[in-house]
Amino acid sequence: MSAGDRHVWSASRRALRAAVTGGAWSTDTVPRMSLRNVVVVMNGSAGRASSDAGDEATIIEQAFADENVRATLVTLRPQEMAEKIGLYWADDPRPDAVVVAGGDGTINCAANAVAGTDVVLGVLPTGTFNHFAKDIGMPVELEAAVRALAGARPDHLDVGEVNGRVFVNNSVLGVYPEMVAIRDRLRSRHGWGKLRAVPVAAFSVLRTFPTHRVDITAPGGVVKRRLRTPLVFVGNGIFDHSGRGLPSRSSLRGGRLGAGVAATTGRFGLFRAAMRSLRKGQPEDTAVDLVELAELTVTANVSRMKVALDGEVVDLKL
């Protein structure tokens, strides 16, 4: 495959200045923040019932008040974040942090807005899986998460990038984004939650089982030509599978990506691997050939490529 459109994944030079509350990379060398004033951004398109969103807002506001922190809550659609977050940070007086309440997809939108700037981004996990929040040591219970933020440290963390789009957890092409696209249509049509829609979407994708024929190249002599695969995975950072629990990233400071190509072409073997990946945020190392690198180029004979960035589907184009 000599011709085609090239899509380049890399460890971005734009760091994310995040409020880190723990995890393997927590360090005492960065002073703790003194939170007195924050802006809390809530996702206005998150698909939750209005009563649930209202309850979360009340809990968040009260929890910050208990920590003697003034919290201004705003609701934004994802497409508004790129413009609005910078304006909140430039306000006078400047907030100590802009805090995003949402899941991994919402954090992705915020990270695309602030990566490479001096904005301090805090995270409150209100999504389904919350992989990024957990990896930076954030408790999943809201009141505890707010307390943790009050003593967090602003640190510079790696993000991944593909064709100018940032991701904080992973970027996946193949059957996974196809499944997510169907999942989102089911949720919109029937009002289902993610966990109910995923098995139905997965079954629908596996009936057709789309594959891509791609060339994959990377520095250091990594070359795969005319490879037919149902899934290519690129993770931000390297995940540790050695423990007994779910894998977590040992670092987000090394400028490394964990990339993998599905080693199986069987429908049900890949289905099992996809379900485990959805829960863990990283593919099973028995189902995907994983390598560690700083850059990866995928060439395919398509002008648009459907890719999942932190669980949200975009059409990737040059």
Side-chain angles (χ1 to χ4, degrees):
M1 185 185 301
S2 57
D5 286 321
R6 300 187 326 126
H7 305 276
V8 180
W9 279 259
S10 65
S12 178
R13 292 184 175 89
R14 297 185 287 163
L16 181 66
R17 194 175 180 217
V20 176
T21 59
W25 353 288
S26 182
T27 175
D28 294 335
T29 62
V30 180
R32 294 186 184 276
M33 295 187 297
S34 177
L35 285 189
R36 292 293 180 265
N37 175 31
V38 299
V39 175
V40 180
V41 177
M42 304 191 70
N43 186 352
S45 303
R48 300 189 304 279
S50 58
S51 59
D52 293 340
D55 290 345
E56 286 177 353
T58 300
I59 292 170
I60 291 169
E61 195 166 29
Q62 184 59 54
F64 274 115
D66 291 343
E67 298 298 320
N68 297 315
V69 178
R70 179 177 178 269
T72 302
L73 273 65
V74 297
T75 300
L76 297 179
R77 295 187 301 273
Q79 58 268 30
E80 296 176 305
M81 290 187 184
E83 175 187 359
K84 297 290 187 180
I85 289 180
L87 293 177
Y88 298 141
W89 185 249
D91 203 0
D92 187 16
R94 171 176 286 186
D96 300 309
V98 177
V99 179
V100 176
D104 292 307
T106 303
I107 295 168
N108 175 277
C109 293
N112 272 277
V114 305
T117 73
D118 65 346
V119 176
V120 176
L121 186 70
V123 174
L124 291 176
T126 61
T128 304
F129 297 106
N130 304 305
H131 294 302
F132 182 77
K134 291 174 183 176
D135 274 354
I136 63 173
M138 184 62 64
V140 295
E141 193 267 329
L142 269 179
E143 289 97 334
V146 169
R147 288 194 298 271
L149 266 180
R153 304 177 190 272
D155 210 346
H156 290 86
L157 304 180
D158 292 340
V159 292
E161 190 169 342
V162 53
N163 291 12
R165 292 290 301 266
V166 161
F167 58 93
V168 297
N169 293 325
N170 54 56
S171 172
V172 189
L173 64 88
V175 294
Y176 178 71
E178 297 289 345
M179 181 190 72
V180 171
I182 295 173
R183 178 203 71 186
D184 289 346
R185 289 198 295 270
L186 290 170
R187 295 185 68 203
S188 178
R189 185 182 307 154
H190 301 293
W192 291 353
K194 285 185 179 180
L195 295 180
R196 182 178 181 184
V198 163
V200 179
F203 180 77
S204 177
V205 167
L206 289 174
R207 285 190 303 172
T208 57
F209 200 64
T211 59
H212 291 276
R213 188 175 291 280
V214 297
D215 288 349
I216 298 177
T217 58
V222 177
V223 178
K224 292 182 180 290
R225 301 289 185 189
R226 296 187 58 80
L227 177 70
R228 182 173 291 279
T229 178
L231 182 141
V232 177
F233 175 98
V234 182
N236 176 37
I238 307 301
F239 285 69
D240 180 10
H241 292 264
S242 61
R244 303 183 70 180
L246 298 182
S248 60
R249 284 171 280 197
S250 57
S251 176
L252 273 179
R253 295 198 187 94
R256 308 298 289 172
L257 303 174
V261 178
T264 178
T265 56
R267 284 176 168 84
F268 294 103
L270 190 66
F271 173 75
R272 289 192 298 270
M275 291 302 98
R276 295 188 188 106
S277 299
L278 185 65
R279 183 170 63 95
K280 297 181 177 183
Q282 170 82 350
E284 289 285 289
D285 51 6
T286 56
V288 175
D289 295 325
L290 292 171
V291 294
E292 180 181 340
L293 38 74
E295 184 177 301
L296 175 75
T297 299
V298 176
T299 306
N301 282 331
V302 291
S303 59
R304 291 174 178 263
M305 185 178 292
K306 193 170 289 185
V307 175
L309 300 177
D310 299 324
E312 302 296 323
V313 176
V314 301
D315 283 326
L316 202 63
K317 55 185 178 180
L318 295 176

